[in-house]
């Protein structure tokens, strides 16, 4: 393996400077569950690795007013263990819970899941459905970007040189709001999503959906936000007709690949089914939240 330099700064400023000053490829290290595998296999050949875990705030979950802020390098186990976050965003926690095994979740972060640039990343659809923003710091300062705008395609990100995701901001939760994430894999665990569906919604006192966001993973070159699917259920009580519209809109958004793990037709079909089921779970949760 060629020589790789490693640094573990204790401020965001130093991390950004190190990344920006690197002449060749520089990589942020969070949990390393993707990056280390890629280093060993030779798929990633950075000249510099910047470990962000010693920077205060990169690991941990805090509430700022009525918003949750999740540090970018927070491992899955900490996210799953947070009861208040789980009550407000059970779908996000479901997505995180599905990443790898207990060992993987001791390290794996949602920043790494997003910035690895896989359309099948399990935590991303629920984050998008929830309306999460990624807080990004770079040489030109800080910007907050909707999570759906961070990944452009497989391994392609909208991050500029020197930029780091430092945290995720979750919006305030109105009463009677909840979410759900479901994925289909060919095995019972430890596999890559063939389809993933995240739905977040709010209902009024009569059970009518007043707001919704729907996101699909593994059915296109990037994780999709599907506004047409949300529109299909807003104003309804998720009766049978609304569920049918939801399924149709979800299927219409899919542009999947055809591979040994799922044909185009299969992925499109499953995307409709999972979206419907995730919406019904989110509805059930929202009624009592
Ligand atoms: C056995 C095994 C099973 C797995 N199962 C699943 C699964 O079921 N579902 C799933 O979605 N994934 C799975 N993965 C993949 C991986 O665990 C996840 O993608 C994980 O969330 C990556 O997080 P990390 O913190 O380890 O990322 P890292 O490996 O540290 O980083 C991944 C990429 O993101 C970049 N990056 C990391 N943090 C930042 C940041 N703050 N700012 C900018 N760029 C950053 C890195 O430079 C790198 O390119 C599995 C991996 C293994 C080894």
């Amino acid at each position: 393996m060629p020589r790789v330099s490693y640094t573990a700064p204790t401020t965001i400023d130093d991390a950004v400077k190190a990344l920006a000053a690197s002449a060749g490829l520089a990589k942020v290290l969070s949990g390393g569950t993707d990056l280390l595998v890629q280093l060993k296999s030779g798929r990633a050949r950075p000249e510099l690795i910047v470990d962000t875990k010693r920077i205060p705030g990169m690991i941990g979950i805090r509430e700022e007013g009525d918003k949750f802020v999740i540090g970018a390098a927070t491992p899955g186990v900490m996210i799953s263990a947070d009861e208040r976050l789980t009550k407000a965003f059970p779908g996000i926690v479901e997505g995180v819970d599905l990443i790898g095994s207990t060992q993987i979740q001791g390290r794996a972060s949602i920043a790494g899941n997003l910035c690895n640039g896989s359309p099948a990343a399990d935590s991303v659809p629920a984050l998008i459905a929830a309306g999460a923003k990624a807080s990004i710091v770079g040489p030109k300062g800080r910007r907050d970007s909707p999570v759906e705008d961070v990944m452009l395609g497989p391994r392609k990100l909208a991050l500029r040189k020197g930029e780091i995701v430092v945290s995720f901001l979750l919006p305030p939760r109105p009463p009677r709001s909840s979410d759900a994430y479901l994925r289909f894999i060919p095995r019972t665990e430890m596999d890559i999503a063939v389809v993933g569906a995240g739905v977040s919604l709010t209902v009024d006192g009569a059970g009518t959906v007043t707001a919704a966001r729907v996101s699909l993973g593994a059915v296109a070159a990037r994780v999709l936000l599907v506004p047409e699917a949300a529109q299909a259920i807003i104003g309804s009580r998720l009766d049978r007709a609304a569920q049918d519209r939801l399924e149709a809109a979800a299927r219409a958004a899919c542009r999947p690949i055809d591979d040994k793990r799922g044909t185009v037709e299969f992925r499109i079909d499953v995307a409709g089914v999972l979206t419907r089921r995730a919406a019904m779970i989110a509805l059930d949760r929202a009624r009592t939240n």
Side-chain angles (χ1 to χ4, degrees):
M1 200 192 289
R3 219 177 109 75
V4 186
S5 300
Y6 170 90
T7 181
T10 52
T11 66
I12 293 174
D13 202 34
D14 285 348
V16 167
K17 278 186 188 143
L19 288 164
S22 160
L25 180 65
K27 285 285 200 183
V28 175
L29 174 73
S30 288
T33 62
D34 277 316
L35 187 57
L36 294 189
V37 176
Q38 291 161 13
L39 285 178
K40 287 202 169 167
S41 69
R43 253 178 63 207
R45 296 179 189 279
E47 66 160 43
L48 174 68
I49 290 177
V50 178
D51 187 341
T52 55
K53 289 191 291 299
R54 291 194 195 159
I55 301 171
M58 290 295 282
I59 294 181
I61 300 162
R62 54 189 190 276
E63 286 178 62
E64 285 180 3
D66 48 4
K67 292 184 193 152
F68 284 94
V69 181
I70 305 176
T74 306
V77 278
M78 281 179 72
I79 294 173
S80 311
D82 191 300
E83 287 176 11
R84 287 172 64 83
L85 180 69
T86 304
K87 182 163 176 9
F89 294 97
I92 291 180
V93 175
E94 270 163 351
V96 170
D97 268 346
L98 286 168
I99 296 176
S101 56
T102 306
Q103 290 91 335
I104 294 293
Q105 284 175 26
R107 284 277 170 178
S109 67
I110 53 178
N113 200 224
L114 173 67
C115 297
N116 189 50
S118 163
D122 275 310
S123 71
V124 179
L127 284 170
I128 291 176
K133 288 189 173 165
S135 192
I136 299 164
V137 178
K140 291 190 175 158
R142 183 183 288 257
R143 63 189 175 98
D144 293 339
S145 169
V147 169
E148 59 269 27
D149 294 341
V150 175
M151 187 193 158
L152 304 174
R155 314 271 169 236
K156 276 186 75 182
L157 302 177
L159 295 184
R160 297 185 278 265
K161 187 165 173 65
E163 285 192 325
I164 310 174
V165 176
V166 296
S167 58
F168 290 88
L169 317 173
L170 305 185
R173 261 326 207 182
R176 291 184 296 273
S177 299
S178 199
D179 59 354
Y181 174 73
L182 292 173
R183 77 169 180 187
F184 176 84
I185 54 172
R187 306 191 301 177
T188 48
E189 59 182 312
M190 295 282 283
D191 208 337
I192 300 166
V194 175
V195 178
V199 177
S200 178
L201 51 77
T202 303
V203 293
D204 65 16
T208 301
V209 178
T210 56
R213 282 170 65 95
V214 176
S215 176
L216 288 170
V219 291
R222 62 200 283 190
V223 181
L224 301 174
L225 174 67
V226 190
E228 302 79 14
Q231 283 309 320
I233 57 172
I234 291 173
S236 80
R237 288 192 190 179
L238 259 172
D239 49 57
R240 189 77 201 194
Q243 292 175 39
D244 289 346
R245 289 197 301 275
L246 173 66
E247 263 202 51
R251 288 191 174 123
C254 297
R255 299 284 178 274
I257 55 165
D258 204 338
D259 70 5
K260 63 180 178 190
R261 297 169 54 258
T263 60
V264 168
E265 294 76 15
F266 179 74
R267 285 174 199 255
I268 291 175
D269 194 44
V270 173
V273 174
L274 289 193
T275 306
R276 179 194 289 248
R277 289 184 190 169
M280 296 313 285
I281 295 168
L283 176 70
D284 207 38
R285 290 173 175 166
R287 283 187 181 130
T288 54
N289 217 1

